[in-house]
Amino acid sequence: MPGNKEKLMNIRLFKPYVGQEELDSIKDTFERGWIGLGAKVSELEQKWSNYIGGSFSLAVNSATAALHLAVTAFNFPRGKKVLVPAITFVSTANAALYNGLKPVFVDVDPITLQMDLCDLKKKYDNDCVAIIPVHLGGYPVDIENILDFAEDKGLKVIEDCAHCAGGEYKGKKLGTWGHIGCFSFEEKKLMTTGDGGMICSNDEEIIEKLKPYRWVGIDKDTWRRAIEFRDEANNDAYHWHYVISVLGYKYNMNDLAASIGLVQLKKLDYMNMTRSQHINLYLNKIKGLKEIKPLLPYNTERDVYWMFGVRTKRRDELIIYLKEKGISTGVHFYPLTLHPLFKNFYVPCKIAETVWKEFITLPLFVELTNEEIDYIAKVLYDFEG
Ligand SMILES: Cc1ncc(COP(=O)(O)O)c(C=O)c1O
C-alpha cells in the first residue's frame, strides 16, 4: 500500500566530519603560499606529540607509509619474520614485505578479534624480529603481555593504531606502548587529513633517523632549507646543499593536509565521544535481537571505536537485505591468509578463517542521527522476523 510505504533511507558507512573550520584552515595555508611540507606539518607533529603524551612524531602521507618506515627504522636483516594478525588491513603485513621480511600470520581471539597471545607464542621462532599488533576496530590488544613476550624474545613492537587515534589503555595512549606507534588519518578514520599518517616513538633517535626516509632520502627537507635561508645571520652559500645517504620515499605529509589535521585534532575527543554515544544507542537498540550480535565486546567507557559491527550466521543475506533498505555495510576484514598475495606465507589461522564469515560493519560516523540508528535497528529486527 503506497501510504504505508516505508521511508527508504540512504545511510553511508563512514563519513568524515569536516566543515567550515577546516576550510578556513586550508584558506590560511593558501594565503601563506606554502602548501607542501612546511610549518603546518611541524605544528601538527608537535601538537600530536603533546596530545598522545611525551612522544616524538613524524607526519607522513598514510599509515601504510608509517608502517613501512616503522619497520625500516630497525634495519632488520632481509628474510627475517614479522608477526602480524590474520585479520587486519593489508598494509600491516605489507610493511614486512616492503622491507624484504616475511609476514607470519597470527590467529585472533574469537571474542575480541585481537591477535591471540597463545597463537603468537606458537607461531614465534628464532627468525622473528618484530610484532605488529593492531588495535582492531579500536579495541585494545593485550599490549602488556605482548610487550612482556617481546622483551623476553628481543622483538620490536610496532603498534598499528589506524583504528584507535585518541584511544587509551590503562590511562596511557595507544601508540605509546610499543617502540613505535603508527596512526592513519585517511578520510574514514577517527580523524582525517584526507590521506595522512603519523609515526610516533618515545625514542627521538628513531624519529630523527626516519626524517630523510620520508623525503626521498634527503637529509635536509625543503622546509628546513627555507628556514636556514631566511635566517639573516646565515650567510652560508651552501644553504641549499643536502646529503643523500639512504634510499628514501616521497612519503611526507603536506601543509594542506596538516591544516585539516590541526582542526581535526581539536575535534578528535568530541568525535570519539560522539561515535561512542552512537555505539551505546546501537547496543541498547539491538540487545533484543536473537541471531544478530555485536561484533566486539564494546566498552565505550574505556575505548574509542572506529567502526561498529555485528555478527550473524546469515551474513550475506543480511548484507543484501540492508542494501535494499538503503543501509551501507562493509566487512572488516577478510583474513589476509586467504589472499593470493600471501599464499607463500600461508599458515592456518582457524579462528580468523571461520569468524570473518559472520562479520558485517554498520554505519558509524559523527553525524549519524539517532533516527538513522533507530531505523537500522528496526531493519535488523525485521530481518530476524
Ligand atoms: C589496520 C590498518 N592499518 C593500516 C591502514 C592503512 O592506513 P592508510 O589508509 O592511512 O594507509 C589501515 C587502513 O584502513 C588499517 O585499517
Side-chain angles (χ1 to χ4, degrees), residues 62-64 67 88-89 91-92 134 160 162-163 184 186 189 196 333:
S62 65
T64 303
L67 288 160
T88 180
F89 189 65
S91 302
T92 319
V134 179
D160 182 336
H163 301 172
S184 173
E186 183 252 355
K189 295 304 186 317
F333 291 97

Side-chain angles (χ1 to χ4, degrees), residues 192-209:
T192 186
T193 57
D195 267 310
M198 195 67 86
I199 308 173
C200 303
S201 179
N202 297 323
D203 182 346
E204 191 175 7
E205 261 181 47
I206 288 182
I207 297 300
E208 284 305 313
K209 174 176 178 179

Side-chain angles (χ1 to χ4, degrees), residues 89-139:
F89 189 65
V90 63
S91 302
T92 319
N94 280 358
L97 295 183
Y98 294 150
N99 283 281
L101 306 168
K102 297 176 184 163
V104 177
F105 293 104
V106 177
D107 211 347
V108 298
D109 177 274
I111 309 292
T112 66
L113 303 181
Q114 308 305 315
M115 197 178 219
D116 180 68
L117 196 64
C118 291
D119 198 53
L120 178 85
K121 290 178 179 170
K122 269 191 229 154
K123 300 271 171 69
Y124 167 84
D125 70 25
N126 286 336
D127 282 330
C128 292
V129 289
I131 310 175
I132 312 184
V134 179
H135 305 286
L136 190 83
Y139 195 97

